[in-house]
């Protein structure tokens, strides 16, 4: 199929190129979606091009390709495509598309969800910290307090906390509150030398301590 497509493209036989392209995409979309995106004429073969582009965007989880795809979709189609990713395994791709579509309220809902794992918090919160400053501040504070209350605190716990605090410090309207909260953690009793060390190393002691 690839050889036929290449041959028909070389001799500019568009009728047979389209015929084989449709067959190849129907039978082997994983193999041919990107090939068709790169080789189909976007105007004369628009319908097949958009199908292949949609398939490849979904397969590759690429926000770069979504930026291209969205220009061919109606608003309703964009909403439907993005919403299909809501319960998918790639949260970062979903957040990227929400960010492109400026659906910041949906990103906030993800951040509020208790099932949002810590490793995703930083990615989820960054686009919205200055859009929903109060909510993001409280989410970060709640997550840090929960980590501090864990009976299994260790060095990794303190690294996680400081990562979140770095995001908190990006909230422009919450600078004073953030500094007060960080100082409270630094002066936590009983004394926690490992926490102090992480705060100094990862936040910059000259600013806070």
């Amino acid at each position: 199929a690839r050889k036929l497509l290449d041959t028909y493209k070389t001799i500019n036989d568009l009728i047979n190129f389209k015929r084989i392209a449709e067959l190849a995409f129907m039978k082997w979309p994983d193999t041919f979606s990107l090939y068709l995106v790169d080789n189909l004429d976007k105007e004369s073969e628009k319908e097949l091009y958009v199908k292949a582009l949609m398939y490849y965007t979904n397969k590759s989880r690429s926000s770069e390709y979504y930026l291209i795809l969205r220009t061919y979709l109606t608003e309703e189609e964009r909403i439907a495509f993005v919403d299909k990713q809501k319960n998918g395994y790639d949260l970062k791709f979903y957040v990227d598309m929400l960010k492109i579509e400026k659906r910041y309220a949906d990103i906030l809902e993800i951040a509020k969800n208790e099932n949002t794992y810590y490793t995703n918090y930083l990615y989820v919160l960054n686009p919205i910290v200055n859009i929903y400053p109060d909510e993001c501040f409280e989410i970060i504070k709640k997550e840090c307090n929960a980590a501090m209350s864990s009976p299994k605190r260790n060095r990794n716990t303190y690294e996680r906390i400081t990562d979140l605090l770095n995001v908190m410090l990006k909230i422009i309207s919450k600078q004073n509150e953030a500094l007060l909260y960080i100082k409270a953690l630094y002066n936590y009793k009983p004394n926690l030398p490992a926490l102090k060390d992480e705060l100094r190393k990862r936040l910059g002691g000259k600013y806070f301590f």
Side-chain angles (χ1 to χ4, degrees):
R2 178 68 63 84
K3 288 181 180 178
L4 280 172
L5 286 167
D6 287 342
T7 297
Y8 290 137
K9 185 175 178 63
T10 300
I11 64 176
N12 202 32
D13 185 344
L14 300 182
I15 293 175
N16 279 312
F17 181 85
K18 182 182 179 182
R19 178 174 62 83
I20 299 301
E22 289 175 339
L23 176 65
F25 182 65
M26 181 177 67
K27 288 185 172 292
W28 308 289
D30 279 354
T31 301
F32 280 97
S33 56
L34 181 59
Y35 176 91
L36 297 183
V37 168
D38 289 339
N39 289 280
L40 282 170
D41 183 90
K42 299 177 181 61
E43 299 304 323
S44 62
E45 309 299 341
K46 183 178 178 180
E47 183 178 351
L48 182 58
Y49 172 77
V50 172
K51 285 181 180 178
L53 180 57
M54 185 177 291
Y55 188 94
Y56 185 74
T57 301
N58 188 57
K59 173 177 176 284
S60 65
R61 302 292 194 267
S62 167
S63 55
E64 177 184 350
Y65 279 93
Y66 178 70
L67 282 167
I68 301 171
L69 173 64
R70 72 184 298 275
T71 64
Y72 293 91
L73 304 179
T74 65
E75 182 179 358
E76 291 77 14
E77 288 170 335
R78 292 199 303 270
I79 291 171
F81 184 85
V82 173
D83 285 350
K84 282 183 180 179
Q85 309 298 326
K86 186 173 184 178
N87 297 313
Y89 64 86
D90 194 336
L91 180 62
K92 289 185 176 181
F93 178 54
Y94 180 47
V95 170
D96 282 343
M97 289 192 295
L98 291 175
K99 186 166 57 174
I100 289 169
E101 297 299 336
K102 294 180 170 54
R103 289 172 54 178
Y104 301 119
D106 292 314
I107 299 177
L108 178 61
E109 287 306 308
I110 297 172
K112 288 180 177 179
N113 191 331
E114 293 182 358
N115 293 323
T116 300
Y117 293 107
Y118 163 77
T119 52
N120 292 317
Y121 261 123
L122 305 180
Y123 203 83
V124 172
L125 287 167
N126 268 311
I128 59 170
V129 288
N130 287 302
I131 298 174
Y132 301 105
D134 294 336
E135 293 89 340
C136 289
F137 183 88
E138 291 304 320
I139 288 169
I140 294 170
K141 187 175 178 180
K142 179 182 177 182
E143 186 69 15
C144 289
N145 287 344
M148 288 296 295
S149 299
S150 171
K152 297 181 180 180
R153 285 195 315 256
N154 55 32
R155 179 70 71 156
N156 288 337
T157 306
Y158 303 141
E159 290 176 354
R160 290 172 52 193
I161 289 171
T162 51
D163 283 342
L164 285 164
L165 293 175
N166 268 313
V167 178
M168 180 185 279
L169 287 167
K170 295 178 182 178
I171 306 176
I172 296 170
S173 63
K174 294 287 184 178
Q175 291 292 298
N176 290 335
E177 291 176 68
L179 293 175
L180 289 172
Y181 181 65
I182 292 168
K183 288 179 180 178
L185 288 177
Y186 187 80
N187 295 314
Y188 185 88
K189 301 298 180 184
N191 188 40
L192 298 172
L195 173 61
K196 288 185 174 183
D197 183 49
E198 289 302 322
L199 291 172
R200 284 193 297 265
K201 284 194 311 184
R202 297 160 73 86
L203 295 183
K206 64 180 180 179
Y207 297 112
F208 311 118
F209 319 114

